[in-house]
Amino acid sequence: MKRTSAVDRRKTEDFERPILTVDIVLLTLLEGQLQVALLPRLAEPFKGRVALIGGYIHTDEDKDAEQAVRRILHAKAGLKGLFFEQLRTFAARDRDPRGWSASIAYFAVVPHGLLREAAARGIELHPADSAPRLPFDHNAILASALERLRGKGAYSTIPARLLPDVFTMSELQQVYETVMGERLDQSAFRRKIADLDLLEEVVGEKRQTATARRPTTLYRLKSPVEVFERKIGAVTR
Amino acid sequence: MKRTSAVDRRKTEDFERPILTVDIVLLTLLEGQLQVALLPRLAEPFKGRVALIGGYIHTDEDKDAEQAVRRILHAKAGLKGLFFEQLRTFAARDRDPRGWSASIAYFAVVPHGLLREAAARGIELHPADSAPRLPFDHNAILASALERLRGKGAYSTIPARLLPDVFTMSELQQVYETVMGERLDQSAFRRKIADLDLLEEVVGEKRQTATARRPTTLYRLKSPVEVFERKIGAVTR
DNA sequence: GCAATAGTGTCTTTGAGACAGTATAGG
DNA sequence: CCTATACTGTCTCAAAGACACTATTGC
């Protein structure tokens, strides 16, 4: 892995450049459970084992890291326009057998309904809390994404991005409960959501899962992801 | 900048490796104002201009990015044992004239009293809110550090790390006021700090700035940086 | 009218902002 | 005893937890 002579490089850059990749923790909700999207690796190292969706930065195509994330999500999962944000960078000598490497980790959420094409491309969903052992430090990256979702979940509309465009208030409450891992009081939840003025009603009402007799109002998020000051609280007793 | 032949690399890695550096936003408090530590650059590009403290990852010495931060803080500012945490990574094609590059940005705080040696090494302090124009995207990195400090400041003991080991309650309140840019009510502040149980009294009392008649209790932080649930609140009217 | 979920009203607790009060020193 | 800062007490308001209540449909 030697490049130009050490003498030439010494002027500006004394050290081998580490490998730089992007890894994406793509989360969705299925059967009331958070799931991670994993993809069997096509190349060495760890060829054949499932891992986070990721790839090299393409210095010719990608003008920045976000662009690389968009390109990779599109190419490997057929997805476009998702909400995603940078988690943090995992950079160390021994996280990759190929040598010193850095992975800029991203966290993304997607409604389960958009994953048809992803499934066709070999993407598998695994329960986020009991994912298999992953190569590199991907289990740590996943843990970090879950921590972020649980932390920021209570203070933002990110959990709502796990639902389809249109949803009921009960569904919304269930997502928050799943994400936060706590039961929420129905009355307090609705009050809070109303106060925050995040939703708009969808005109045509609809009947939900056969068990419901009374029809339910449907809602849609007003704006892209928002963050609020005070927590959506849990039931304390 | 060619390395092994394109054919050799094509198997695993089709693209040139970006430059990878670490940059540190080192903040301190001087004359009741937040200040950033900046250092004139010794090498091109932007040789001679002040910039954030940073450097390449040394793949032989640094086992991970945090180690690089510690090494750089020690080598360039003579500092050890500071609180620091990762901000986020700035990665784009045009942020560095040398080509596609990524900087893992860190944010650190230091009591002003520890900066004697740093000053001797050419480090300058500039008001954080009116720093000069910096090379690369360092102004954006600085802005991101300030945002983090102001955001997390109200929920953590990080602001206290801007003070010397031992401090008075008024000093502590002033740091929080400076960081948050808001006046705080004295009674509410003390109640909050007491409830959080963050401090321990220092036995020998001491008289503060000549203006104070009554002697003041001195405190010390009990534990390393802590984060709390509820904000240290501002005066609303 | 019964089952089942949708949705509302209201009591209570708690955190914290406002603000005035008391305490303790030097001069 | 005056001044300047240290420190405390308490009223009030607002957010939100608890919980019981009403509403609307299919069967």
Side-chain angles (χ1 to χ4, degrees):
Chain A
M1 194 56 84
K2 286 282 177 284
R3 290 176 286 167
T4 49
S5 79
V7 173
D8 281 354
R9 285 186 294 108
R10 187 155 293 276
K11 278 174 253 158
T12 54
E13 194 175 344
D14 279 355
F15 299 85
E16 189 195 337
R17 292 187 179 182
I19 296 167
L20 184 63
T21 60
V22 146
D23 284 305
I24 305 159
V25 182
L26 177 62
L27 297 174
T28 194
L29 196 67
L30 179 61
E31 293 159 7
Q33 240 196 341
L34 279 174
Q35 313 263 150
V36 217
L38 300 175
L39 191 59
R41 285 181 59 81
L42 296 174
E44 292 295 349
F46 305 114
K47 185 170 176 173
R49 289 184 52 189
V50 291
L52 293 178
I53 300 166
Y56 289 103
I57 300 242
H58 289 187
T59 49
D60 52 353
E61 296 175 72
D62 304 326
K63 75 173 232 299
D64 56 26
E66 278 67 37
Q67 180 115 1
V69 171
R70 271 186 289 268
R71 177 179 52 73
I72 291 169
L73 279 175
H74 187 60
K76 303 203 171 176
L79 292 166
K80 280 174 98 164
L82 297 194
F83 167 78
F84 66 89
E85 64 178 25
Q86 195 180 303
L87 266 177
R88 70 182 185 88
T89 294
F90 293 75
R93 181 154 45 207
D94 63 2
R95 57 177 299 280
D96 186 319
R98 287 165 292 186
W100 224 106
S101 78
S103 164
I104 313 177
Y106 282 80
F107 138 79
V109 290
V110 64
H112 174 249
L114 300 184
L115 290 177
R116 290 197 168 270
E117 199 173 336
R121 292 177 198 223
I123 284 187
E124 308 171 6
L125 295 184
H126 292 258
D129 288 317
S130 56
R133 199 138 80 77
L134 301 173
F136 311 106
D137 49 4
H138 284 190
N139 286 289
I141 299 180
L142 169 58
S144 157
L146 291 174
E147 195 187 327
R148 172 81 129 253
L149 176 59
R150 298 204 226 273
K152 205 166 172 181
Y155 294 94
S156 74
T157 53
I158 293 174
R161 302 276 149 186
L162 291 162
L163 292 178
D165 227 56
V166 155
F167 46 82
T168 71
M169 196 57 97
S170 314
E171 287 168 343
L172 188 63
Q173 184 176 340
Q174 279 170 43
V175 186
Y176 274 93
E177 289 180 341
T178 302
V179 165
M180 297 165 61
E182 292 173 307
R183 301 233 18 177
L184 300 175
D185 179 85
Q186 190 191 27
S187 172
F189 181 78
R190 295 177 107 98
R191 194 198 310 147
K192 180 78 187 185
I193 296 293
D195 286 355
L196 290 169
D197 190 32
L198 303 170
L199 306 181
E200 56 185 19
E201 283 194 25
V202 174
V203 281
E205 300 212 352
K206 194 180 77 182
R207 130 123 324 118
Q208 286 312 111
T209 48
T211 48
R213 264 61 155 145
R214 177 173 172 181
T216 305
T217 314
L218 294 176
Y219 298 90
R220 189 195 335 262
L221 278 177
K222 269 186 172 170
S223 17
V225 172
E226 284 186 65
V227 173
F228 20 95
E229 278 292 293
R230 307 183 95 94
K231 195 169 178 171
I232 292 189
V235 171
T236 49
R237 59 166 144 149
Chain B
M1 195 57 78
K2 285 280 177 286
R3 292 176 282 165
T4 48
S5 81
V7 173
D8 281 354
R9 285 187 295 108
R10 188 155 292 278
K11 278 174 254 158
T12 54
E13 194 176 341
D14 279 355
F15 299 86
E16 188 195 338
R17 291 187 181 181
I19 295 167
L20 183 62
T21 60
V22 146
D23 284 304
I24 305 159
V25 182
L26 177 62
L27 296 174
T28 194
L29 196 67
L30 179 61
E31 293 158 8
Q33 241 197 341
L34 280 175
Q35 314 262 150
V36 218
L38 300 176
L39 192 58
R41 285 180 59 81
L42 295 174
E44 294 293 349
F46 307 115
K47 186 169 175 172
R49 289 183 51 189
V50 291
L52 293 178
I53 300 166
Y56 290 104
I57 300 245
H58 289 187
T59 50
D60 53 353
E61 296 175 72
D62 306 326
K63 75 174 231 298
D64 56 27
E66 279 66 37
Q67 179 116 357
V69 170
R70 271 186 289 269
R71 178 179 51 72
I72 291 169
L73 280 174
H74 187 58
K76 303 204 172 176
L79 293 166
K80 281 174 98 163
L82 299 193
F83 167 79
F84 66 90
E85 64 177 25
Q86 194 180 304
L87 266 177
R88 69 182 184 88
T89 294
F90 293 76
R93 180 154 44 207
D94 62 2
R95 58 177 298 280
D96 186 319
R98 286 166 291 186
W100 224 106
S101 79
S103 164
I104 312 178
Y106 282 80
F107 137 79
V109 290
V110 64
H112 173 249
L114 299 185
L115 291 178
R116 291 197 167 270
E117 199 172 335
R121 292 179 200 220
I123 284 187
E124 309 171 5
L125 295 184
H126 292 258
D129 289 317
S130 54
R133 199 137 79 79
L134 301 174
F136 309 106
D137 49 4
H138 284 190
N139 286 290
I141 299 180
L142 169 58
S144 156
L146 291 174
E147 193 188 328
R148 171 80 130 254
L149 177 59
R150 297 205 227 274
K152 204 164 170 180
Y155 294 94
S156 75
T157 53
I158 293 174
R161 301 279 150 184
L162 290 162
L163 292 177
D165 228 55
V166 156
F167 47 80
T168 71
M169 196 58 94
S170 314
E171 288 168 341
L172 187 63
Q173 185 175 338
Q174 278 169 43
V175 186
Y176 275 94
E177 289 180 341
T178 302
V179 165
M180 298 165 62
E182 293 173 309
R183 302 232 19 177
L184 300 175
D185 179 84
Q186 192 191 26
S187 172
F189 181 78
R190 294 177 108 99
R191 194 198 309 149
K192 179 78 186 185
I193 296 293
D195 286 355
L196 290 168
D197 190 33
L198 303 169
L199 306 181
E200 56 186 18
E201 283 194 24
V202 174
V203 281
E205 299 211 351
K206 196 180 75 183
R207 128 124 325 120
Q208 286 311 109
T209 49
T211 48
R213 262 61 153 149
R214 178 173 172 180
T216 305
T217 314
L218 294 176
Y219 299 90
R220 190 194 335 262
L221 279 176
K222 270 186 172 170
S223 17
V225 173
E226 283 187 66
V227 173
F228 19 95
E229 278 292 293
R230 307 183 95 94
K231 196 167 178 171
I232 291 189
V235 172
T236 49
R237 61 165 142 149

